[in-house]
């Protein structure tokens, strides 16, 4: 055990976060997302599990260590709702609240169509799957600098 590190952060996740560089993306997702399939195409190449955490809890733990990129207009990307692209799901609102609170500022979140989101996710550094039931609990966080 180390001081100051959220207990939801495993040794594997800590190693992944430390290995990422500025501009690298991290996908955090719900249990419905094809996370294992997408993880195979990422830089890390394996799925990281945060079993027992919902998305807000996972995001809070991750963002306690991971700075969001301030050099891009929207350092967070979410998936649009199929057949209702303007719809905001409860999980989107919960994550927006957590991200803004942890960052201490309003953070823009970009929305992508489902298959565009999948393509972007495959270029991420790693995929972290939570136990959140979703739906549409899929977010890509772009790492910034300290």
């Amino acid at each position: 055990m180390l001081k100051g590190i959220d207990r939801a952060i495993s040794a594997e996740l800590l190693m992944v976060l430390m290995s990422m560089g500025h501009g690298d993306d991290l996908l955090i997702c719900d249990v419905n997302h094809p996370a294992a399939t997408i993880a195979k195409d990422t830089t890390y190449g394996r799925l990281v599990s945060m079993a027992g955490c919902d998305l807000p809890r996972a995001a809070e733990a991750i963002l306690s260590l991971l700075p969001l990129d301030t050099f891009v207009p929207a350092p967070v990307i979410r998936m649009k709702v199929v057949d209702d692209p303007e719809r905001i799901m409860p999980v989107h609102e919960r994550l927006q609240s957590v991200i803004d609170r942890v960052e201490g500022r309003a953070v823009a979140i970009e929305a992508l169509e489902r298959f565009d989101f999948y393509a972007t996710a495959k270029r991420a550094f790693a995929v972290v799957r939570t136990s959140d039931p979703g739906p549409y609990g899929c977010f890509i966080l772009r790492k910034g600098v300290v």
Side-chain angles (χ1 to χ4, degrees):
M1 208 58 195
L2 299 173
K3 294 180 181 180
I5 297 176
D6 191 301
R7 290 191 294 164
I9 302 288
S10 67
E12 180 181 24
L13 181 54
L14 182 60
M15 187 271 303
V16 165
L17 296 175
M18 289 184 68
S19 297
M20 292 174 67
H22 175 257
D24 280 338
D25 291 335
L26 180 73
L27 168 64
I28 61 171
C29 63
D30 62 35
V31 296
N32 298 298
H33 192 76
T37 301
I38 287 177
K40 290 177 188 176
D41 290 325
T42 65
T43 302
Y44 186 60
R46 292 194 327 251
L47 181 62
V48 179
S49 176
M50 285 188 83
C53 288
D54 64 9
L55 277 158
R57 176 73 180 98
E60 185 167 1
I62 290 167
L63 291 171
S64 73
L65 300 173
L66 181 88
L68 289 178
D69 197 339
T70 57
F71 298 145
V72 296
V76 179
I77 301 170
R78 68 167 176 82
M79 185 186 298
K80 288 182 180 179
V81 176
V82 175
D83 295 329
D84 193 0
E86 301 304 315
R87 183 172 177 195
I88 303 295
M89 301 295 287
V91 70
H92 299 152
E93 293 172 336
R94 290 194 311 270
L95 256 290
Q96 183 76 63
S97 178
V98 168
I99 292 165
D100 291 352
R101 180 176 44 78
V102 172
E103 283 289 300
R105 63 186 173 98
V107 174
I109 297 179
E110 178 183 354
L112 289 180
E113 180 275 331
R114 177 182 173 203
F115 293 106
D116 291 339
F117 186 92
Y118 289 162
T120 301
K122 287 180 179 183
R123 294 188 301 269
F125 187 88
V127 176
V128 176
R129 181 175 54 205
T130 69
S131 295
D132 199 290
Y136 293 98
C138 310
F139 298 84
I140 298 171
L141 310 175
R142 171 125 338 135
K143 185 177 184 181
V145 296
V146 177

